[in-house]
């Protein structure tokens, strides 16, 4: 059995290493206000068509320097026409040498609709107005597809076997964390539900989407499990975003085990979960810190301490270490001081060779690539290098 990679034929036996990365690239319309365009997916389409935007060129340079085989992008606006969206990014930026670097190619890509900016008829943020967008959308967004997701791969994607969970209803999760307004007098049982009955029945759990994208790496299948849970802030005492973040992460944790994920259905209404002994890599901006700033005990631990997940090798960087004097700051992936972005492989089927966060120190010539959000993003690219072990 052979697979074609960048024009060369490689036997399945020769494919034994895999570098997987995630990168919140801040490529959504409000990051390009200087263009003077109204926020919509047309803003990113324009940026991608030119090949000349400095922030995107820096994003491309970072990707070329790390050169992952599989790359998850968060905050990459959903554009239905891939030739104007993710494929334009590959063609006009990644296939073009940045600063003399070797271009990279991703012949296989996947994008799909997300809940951000998808309008509802409800006043979900309880500001007295049902506006459809913003806080009243299924996931916070000013227009459909804002803060979207895209997967890039050097290896074939098994498109027919993809599962998405954009429309899974929050109330269908067993024992969900229901947001309530605490009783002012502290009376137990007198709390007021944040969402009314009709809203709660309709509300989707995923703020963007949850994906299971199988990638064919030689004769093996690697499930890329991608998500971008909502930030656990921008709310009030009801903690609706914090509770949603917890349950978004829980959905993926339950999906890993057939016994835990029996309640989960995909966007086709089919009950699905991973089978035993599946190779997987969890990727994305999970908006949940494992230590330090904004760490909420027991949230990200649903994944990092999951028996099927390998969190033994934590990606680090010199730049992150300089953010504060704390001993754990070298694991930060976001400029404000937190590990928010994750690449977590399964314990089954992989050996972890190395891992890192692209965050050069201020003394490095490459610091120009990460000095602020205008340079690239407020998040850093995180990568893990894996060896694929033989099936047992």
């Amino acid at each position: 059995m052979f697979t074609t990679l960048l024009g060369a034929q490689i036997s399945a036996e020769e494919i034994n290493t895999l570098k997987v990365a995630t990168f919140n690239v801040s490529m959504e319309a409000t990051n390009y206000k200087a263009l003077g365009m109204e926020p919509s997916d047309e803003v990113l389409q324009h940026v991608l068509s030119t090949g000349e935007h400095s922030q995107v060129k820096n994003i491309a340079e970072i990707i070329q320097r790390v050169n992952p085989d599989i790359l998850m992008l968060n905050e990459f606006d959903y554009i239905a026409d891939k030739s104007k969206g993710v494929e334009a990014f590959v063609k006009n930026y990644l296939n073009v040498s940045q600063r003399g670097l070797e271009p990279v190619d991703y012949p296989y890509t996947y994008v799909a609709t997300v809940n951000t900016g998808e309008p509802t008829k409800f006043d979900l943020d309880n500001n007295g107005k049902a506006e459809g967008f913003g806080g009243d959308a299924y996931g916070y967004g000013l227009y459909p597809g804002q803060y979207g997701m895209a997967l890039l791969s050097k290896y074939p994607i098994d498109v027919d076997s993809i599962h998405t969970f954009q429309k899974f209803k929050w109330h269908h999760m067993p024992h969900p964390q229901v947001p309530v307004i605490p009783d002012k007098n502290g009376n137990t049982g007198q709390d007021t539900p944040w969402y009314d009955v009709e809203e709660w029945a309709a509300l989707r759990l995923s703020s963007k989407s949850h994906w299971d994208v199988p990638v064919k790496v030689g004769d093996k299948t690697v499930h890329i499990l991608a998500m971008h849970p909502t930030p656990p802030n921008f709310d009030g005492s009801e903690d609706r975003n914090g509770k949603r973040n917890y349950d978004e992460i829980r959905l993926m944790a339950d999906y890993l085990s057939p016994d835990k994920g029996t309640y989960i259905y995909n966007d086709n209404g089919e009950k699905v979960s991973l089978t035993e002994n599946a190779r997987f890599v969890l990727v994305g901006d999970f908006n949940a810190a494992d230590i330090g700033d904004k760490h909420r005990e027991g949230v990200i631990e649903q994944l990092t301490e999951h028996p099927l997940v390998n969190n033994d090798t934590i990606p680090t960087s010199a730049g992150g270490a300089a953010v504060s004097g704390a001993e754990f700051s070298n694991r930060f992936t976001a400029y404000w001081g937190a590990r928010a972005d994750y690449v977590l492989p399964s314990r089954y089927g992989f050996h972890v060779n190395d891992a890192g966060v692209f965050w050069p120190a201020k003394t490095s010539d490459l610091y120009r690539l990460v000095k602020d959000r205008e340079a690239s993003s407020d998040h850093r690219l995180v990568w893990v290098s894996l060896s694929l072990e033989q099936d047992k």
Side-chain angles (χ1 to χ4, degrees), residues 33 60 80 166-167 191 239-240 245 251 300 305 341 347 365 375 392:
K33 292 179 181 177
Q166 177 189 356
K167 298 177 182 178
D191 299 336
D239 192 29
R240 68 187 189 278
N245 176 275
L251 183 75
I300 193 59
E305 297 182 5
D341 309 83
R347 290 198 177 276
D365 292 339
K392 297 176 183 179

Side-chain angles (χ1 to χ4, degrees), residues 358-391:
F358 186 89
W359 195 338
K362 288 186 177 180
T363 55
S364 170
D365 292 339
L366 298 180
Y367 182 72
R368 61 181 169 78
L369 293 170
V370 299
K371 65 180 181 178
D372 51 34
R373 190 182 182 198
E374 286 67 36
S376 54
S377 175
D378 52 354
H379 291 252
R380 308 291 176 250
L381 184 150
V382 181
W383 58 270
V384 172
S385 176
L386 304 165
S387 290
L388 279 76
E389 298 176 339
Q390 294 301 314
D391 295 319

Side-chain angles (χ1 to χ4, degrees), residues 268-309:
N268 292 326
E270 304 164 327
K271 291 288 188 72
V272 290
S273 61
L274 278 189
T275 59
E276 189 177 2
N277 291 339
R279 287 181 181 81
F280 63 81
V281 185
L282 294 146
V283 292
D285 172 4
F286 296 168
N287 275 312
D290 64 346
I291 196 168
D293 184 49
K294 298 179 182 176
H295 175 227
R296 297 169 297 133
E297 190 69 38
V299 180
I300 193 59
E301 287 80 5
Q302 296 177 99
L303 292 175
T304 57
E305 297 182 5
H306 195 291
L308 299 179
V309 174

Side-chain angles (χ1 to χ4, degrees), residues 119-131:
T120 75
K121 64 180 181 179
F122 306 113
D123 177 19
L124 297 177
D125 57 10
N126 287 347
N127 69 350
K129 298 177 289 184
E131 299 170 294

Side-chain angles (χ1 to χ4, degrees), residues 87-165:
E87 290 176 355
F89 176 53
V90 173
K91 177 182 177 182
N92 297 331
Y93 287 93
L94 298 179
N95 288 169
V96 178
S97 172
Q98 307 293 340
R99 300 265 182 155
L101 294 170
E102 189 73 22
V104 294
D105 190 38
Y106 294 96
Y108 308 100
T109 60
Y110 179 73
V111 296
T113 56
V114 290
N115 284 327
T116 34
E118 189 65 29
T120 75
K121 64 180 181 179
F122 306 113
D123 177 19
L124 297 177
D125 57 10
N126 287 347
N127 69 350
K129 298 177 289 184
E131 299 170 294
F133 59 89
D136 293 334
Y138 280 111
Y140 182 87
L142 302 179
Y143 52 90
Q146 188 176 15
Y147 311 114
M149 299 157 52
L151 185 68
L152 286 63
S153 177
K154 295 180 181 180
Y155 295 99
I157 294 172
D158 183 1
V159 177
D160 292 337
S161 300
I162 291 173
H163 297 298
T164 63
F165 305 90

Side-chain angles (χ1 to χ4, degrees), residues 13 15 27 52 82 111 207 238 258 269 282 294 297 315 330 355:
E13 290 73 19
I15 301 174
M27 289 168 63
E52 296 296 330
K82 291 208 295 184
V111 296
S207 55
E238 84 290 342
L282 294 146
K294 298 179 182 176
E297 190 69 38
N330 63 346

Side-chain angles (χ1 to χ4, degrees), residues 43-62:
V43 176
L44 184 58
Q45 289 185 47
H46 169 75
V47 167
L48 297 179
S49 70
T50 69
E52 296 296 330
H53 194 280
S54 59
Q55 181 244 3
V56 185
K57 286 169 69 73
N58 285 345
I59 292 287
E61 181 178 343
I62 292 169

